[in-house]
């Protein structure tokens, strides 16, 4: 499937910032499930409410880390009250039933057994994890855990926030893709399987996605490591494994660790930061 | 407690040779002169401003660590063995770090359990696959040693991140030379003043590949409120390099720069005295104000060197410690020259049972603790303290390790009543860059309270000048 992405993140600052430093993981992962046709990230700085007169950001260090993520640093010289990050590209995807085939990474899967504040276990998570049988092996256990999360946390935007933990989301019984992913990571770890958070994009066409499902274009899911097969994606928010509708960007312990954009503003007196994100993922296929 | 080995008097049998001249010195020193000199030493320390604030203690944050004028002495032969043992260990620890951030051969070979390494909190996923210049992660390895007999040295712990205290090693010598120049004429004491130059050379030797010309080295401090700030500024002065805080550095393009009065200057090597978690809010704790945003991206793309390298802490974890002899055999094919203290891992059921049955005789420490906090010294603890600790231990066994109470050697120490034996340890500072070097000396810490085995400055410890005699 050919997917076209247009992802704009706009930061507005109450008072001008002297400058910003950002670290991006906004490049599609390299594996058999996706091939970049074109991809471009631009960063511009300007003033809120004023069109034109924008200055481009300056490229920083660029490298691929041990997880296989492409990292690109940026510096933005101020003063600016608005910073815009725009990702535009086209990717050819294939359905590998969630498998991350041909992905080059050097981190031992064991390193993903560590819990973070967002994916820490709780009695309720443990109880949920124990409802799934491992009699059918690791793969069937992983599918079972993903289904358990889908059943326990209903898709409902606006209930949880960026810092909601897996155990909090489970207690609420509602959440968004981030909460589903955190909960699945927690369950997998509790059952001894390495698991991690993946950030990316999702194409949801009008016929495929029901109105109450997680049709968020900026999407997140989880990957679980299964012996003999490697990393396999699970999307409890949509009750499936990632297929040709998904574009994978980056991974980490949790949402913070896998964030596609991390940044810090220099200036100290910048006041509040407001972020506005718009993502469109379209199909180029006729 | 049993009989302790005294480094001056042995186990009875006359003064040991390295201390022969000190015996004379002591015998001929009038008591008035001693208190005069002690006052002078304190005044000197105050004047140079060396103080050590200790976290969580309250009281005077700028208090002095007590300095004891009676030196601790090693013969050339004794030191030669320590030198080989310390360097061997520093080399193996660095090979271990390169390995576990690479292919993990030692784990594949089944010599160290995977979970101890990969699930360790100090294991930094962010640096996997990146090999720092010259394959060195830990550039300053502080190895804490104790002695129990003429030939018996044990490694208590390794410090691979940013071991502090070297300023005391240097200042103690400086003060002793000023107060007792005669002693330095009569004894052939190896100098240690080359430490700063060797440190500078070591740091320069690990400049990143992208560095052309003479590397610019800086020391990165969390600031003046840090307990070791004195040491940071002291070392910067001695090496002739700049002392900077996070806000003095910034990332631009593929490099890191320091703001200076003459404009931005590119920085090649950062000797950091702040923890990994605070180095870069874009990679680690997002709320950290102490570090440099973007630093880790520059580091991982070869634009700057960070000493010690992020992730080095996985080698000095107390749970990993028990495997260091195994590392030496695995990487170097040698037998360890310095012994480990036998250690029980409370995470393991049999070990835990033994520890709980013998709490009264053991020292129990937190796996991630330091500074002598959160530990139980069984033989010194009351019944109530032992029971309180037992509850903590049972609640979270994997957080603790236990060791036998070692009969630490003693060195004569000035006390109110005259001279009395007090227990000591030793921290030599091994420098690892293109070469592995160790100055002939270290920091001797002494437990000033009678009978105490805890030498930490936060727990009533003091320091001594440490001599290594020439052949």
């Amino acid at each position: 499937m050919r997917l076209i992405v247009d992802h704009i993140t706009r930061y507005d600052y109450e008072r001008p910032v002297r400058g910003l430093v950002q670290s991006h993981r906004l490049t599609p992962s390299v594996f058999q499930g996706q091939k970049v046709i074109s991809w471009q990230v631009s960063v511009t700085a300007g003033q809120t409410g004023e069109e034109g007169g924008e200055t481009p950001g300056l490229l920083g260090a660029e490298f691929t880390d041990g997880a296989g993520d492409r990292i690109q640093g940026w510096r933005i010289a101020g003063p600016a009250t608005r910073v815009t990050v725009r990702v535009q590209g086209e990717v050819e995807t294939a359905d590998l039933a969630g498998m991350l085939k041909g992905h080059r990474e050097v981190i031992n899967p064991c390193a993903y057994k560590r819990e973070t504040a967002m994916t820490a276990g709780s009695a309720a998570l443990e109880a949920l994890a124990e409802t799934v049988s491992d009699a059918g092996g690791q793969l069937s256990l992983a599918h079972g855990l993903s289904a358990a999360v889908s059943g326990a946390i209903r898709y409902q935007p606006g209930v949880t926030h960026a810092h909601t933990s897996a155990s909090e989301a489970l207690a609420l019984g509602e959440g968004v893709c981030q909460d589903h992913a955190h909960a699945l990571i927690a369950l997998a770890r509790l059952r001894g399987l390495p698991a991690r958070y993946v950030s990316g994009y999702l194409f949801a066409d009008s016929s495929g996605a029901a109105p109450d499902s997680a049709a968020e274009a900026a999407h997140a899911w989880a990957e679980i490591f299964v012996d003999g097969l490697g990393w396999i994606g699970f999307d409890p928010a949509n009750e499936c494994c990632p297929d040709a509708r998904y574009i994978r960007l980056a991974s980490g312990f949790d949402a913070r660790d896998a964030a596609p954009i991390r940044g810090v503003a220099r200036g100290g007196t910048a006041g509040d930061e407001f972020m506005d994100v718009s993502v469109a993922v379209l199909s180029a296929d006729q | 407690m049993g009989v302790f080995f005294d480094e001056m008097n042995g186990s009875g049998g006359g003064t040991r040779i390295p201390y022969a001249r000190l015996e004379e010195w002591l015998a001929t020193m009038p008591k008035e002169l001693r208190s005069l000199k002690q006052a002078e030493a304190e005044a000197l320390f105050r004047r140079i401003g060396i103080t050590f604030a200790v976290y969580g203690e309250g009281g005077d944050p700028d208090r002095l660590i007590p300095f004891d004028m009676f030196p601790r002495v090693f013969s050339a032969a004794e030191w030669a063995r320590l030198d080989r043992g310390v360097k061997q260990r520093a080399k193996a620890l660095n090979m271990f770090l390169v390995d576990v951030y690479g292919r993990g051969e030692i784990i594949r070979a089944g010599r160290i359990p995977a979970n101890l390494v990969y699930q360790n909190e100090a294991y930094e996923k962010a640096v996997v696959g990146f090999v720092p210049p010259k394959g060195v992660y830990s550039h300053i390895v502080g190895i804490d040693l104790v002695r129990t007999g003429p030939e018996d040295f044990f490694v208590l712990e390794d410090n691979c991140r940013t071991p502090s205290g070297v300023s005391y090693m240097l200042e103690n010598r400086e003060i002793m030379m000023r107060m007792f120049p005669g002693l330095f004429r009569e004894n052939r004491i190896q100098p240690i003043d080359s430490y700063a130059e060797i440190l500078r050379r070591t740091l320069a030797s690990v400049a990143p590949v992208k560095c052309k010309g003479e590397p610019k080295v800086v020391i990165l401090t969390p600031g003046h409120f840090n307990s070791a700030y004195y040491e940071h500024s002291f070392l910067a002065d001695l090496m002739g390099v700049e002392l900077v805080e996070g806000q003095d550095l910034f990332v631009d393009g593929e490099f890191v720069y320091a703001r200076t009065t003459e404009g931005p200057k590119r920085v090649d090597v950062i000797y950091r005295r702040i923890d990994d978690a605070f180095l870069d809010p874009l990679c680690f704790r997002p709320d950290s104000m102490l570090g440099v945003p973007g630093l880790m991206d520059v580091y991982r793309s070869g634009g700057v060197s960070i000493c010690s390298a992020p992730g080095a802490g996985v080698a000095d974890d107390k749970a990993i410690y028990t495997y260091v002899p195994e590392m030496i055999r695995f990487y170097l094919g040698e037998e360890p020259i310095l012994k480990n203290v036998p250690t029980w891992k409370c995470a393991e059921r049999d070990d835990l049972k033994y520890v709980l049955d013998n709490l009264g005789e053991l020292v129990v420490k937190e796996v991630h603790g330091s500074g002598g906090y959160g530990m139980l010294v069984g033989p010194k603890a009351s019944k109530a303290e032992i029971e309180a600790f037992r509850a903590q231990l049972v609640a979270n066994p994997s957080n603790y390790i236990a060791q036998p109470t070692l009969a630490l050697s003693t060195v004569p120490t000035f006390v109110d009543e005259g001279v009395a034996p007090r227990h000591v340890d030793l921290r030599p500072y091994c420098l690892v860059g293109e070469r592995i070097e160790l100055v002939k000396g270290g920091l001797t810490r002494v437990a000033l309270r009678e009978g105490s085995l805890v030498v930490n400055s936060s727990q009533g410890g003091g320091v001594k000048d440490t001599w290594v005699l020439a052949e």
Side-chain angles (χ1 to χ4, degrees), chain A:
Chain A
M1 196 171 188
R2 233 175 224 227
L3 300 177
I4 295 169
V5 175
D6 190 1
H7 170 201
I8 299 168
T9 309
R10 195 170 281 135
Y11 302 88
D12 284 298
Y13 299 92
E14 218 168 41
R15 286 189 285 280
V17 293
R18 272 198 277 129
L20 281 104
V21 181
Q22 291 187 336
S23 181
H24 291 176
R25 276 179 290 174
L26 285 169
T27 310
S29 310
V30 178
F31 74 104
Q32 287 174 24
Q34 53 195 32
K35 197 176 105 195
V36 169
I37 309 297
S38 68
W39 200 260
Q40 190 190 330
V41 179
S42 69
V43 179
T44 51
Q47 308 302 320
T48 304
E50 284 176 29
E51 297 304 320
E54 279 150 352
T55 52
L58 305 162
L59 285 168
E62 186 186 7
F63 62 98
T64 302
D65 73 3
D69 296 338
R70 192 76 189 152
I71 298 186
Q72 173 70 62
W74 285 89
R75 187 173 74 87
I76 298 104
T81 51
R82 164 168 289 185
V83 172
T84 308
V85 178
R86 184 166 192 179
V87 184
Q88 290 168 288
E90 195 172 336
V91 180
E92 175 77 44
T93 60
D95 182 0
L96 300 181
M99 287 174 69
L100 195 59
K101 275 188 202 161
H103 186 245
R104 219 187 100 72
E105 58 183 306
V106 290
I107 296 177
N108 191 292
C110 260
Y112 294 95
K113 282 186 178 173
R114 207 187 312 172
E115 65 174 33
T116 66
M118 305 246 249
T119 63
S122 69
L125 284 163
E126 270 175 54
L128 184 60
E130 290 310 320
T131 60
V132 182
S133 162
D134 59 2
Q138 289 184 351
L139 182 60
S140 125
L141 171 63
H143 277 290
L145 293 172
S146 186
V149 171
S150 307
I153 301 175
R154 198 170 62 85
Y155 179 76
Q156 181 64 56
V159 181
T160 54
H161 51 84
H163 303 292
T164 302
S165 70
S167 91
E168 288 164 351
L170 181 62
L172 288 166
E174 295 179 331
V176 293
C177 60
Q178 168 173 320
D179 305 303
H180 289 103
H182 282 157
L184 180 51
I185 292 164
L187 295 191
R189 282 180 198 156
L190 286 169
R191 295 300 295 270
L193 297 176
R196 65 188 179 192
Y197 191 98
V198 178
S199 51
Y201 300 113
L202 169 62
F203 165 69
D205 65 5
S206 49
S207 60
D212 63 340
S213 81
E216 302 156 88
H219 196 53
W221 55 95
E223 281 174 353
I224 298 176
F225 190 84
V226 174
D227 286 337
L229 293 175
W231 288 105
I232 298 174
F234 291 90
D235 181 5
N238 289 302
E239 299 177 49
C240 66
C241 286
D243 52 31
R245 296 170 300 153
Y246 289 71
I247 296 174
R248 185 188 190 277
L249 290 180
S251 70
F253 290 132
D254 55 23
R256 195 198 86 194
D257 197 37
I261 301 176
R262 282 179 78 160
V264 167
R266 283 260 178 208
T269 58
D272 284 336
E273 176 187 279
F274 304 94
M275 189 171 82
D276 179 47
V277 184
S278 81
V279 188
V281 179
L282 307 169
S283 167
D285 299 334
Q286 295 305 312

Side-chain angles (χ1 to χ4, degrees), chain B residues 390-403:
Chain B
R390 183 189 303 278
Q392 287 178 42
L393 183 55
V394 171
N396 191 6
S398 61
N399 197 32
Y400 297 95
I401 55 150
Q403 296 173 332

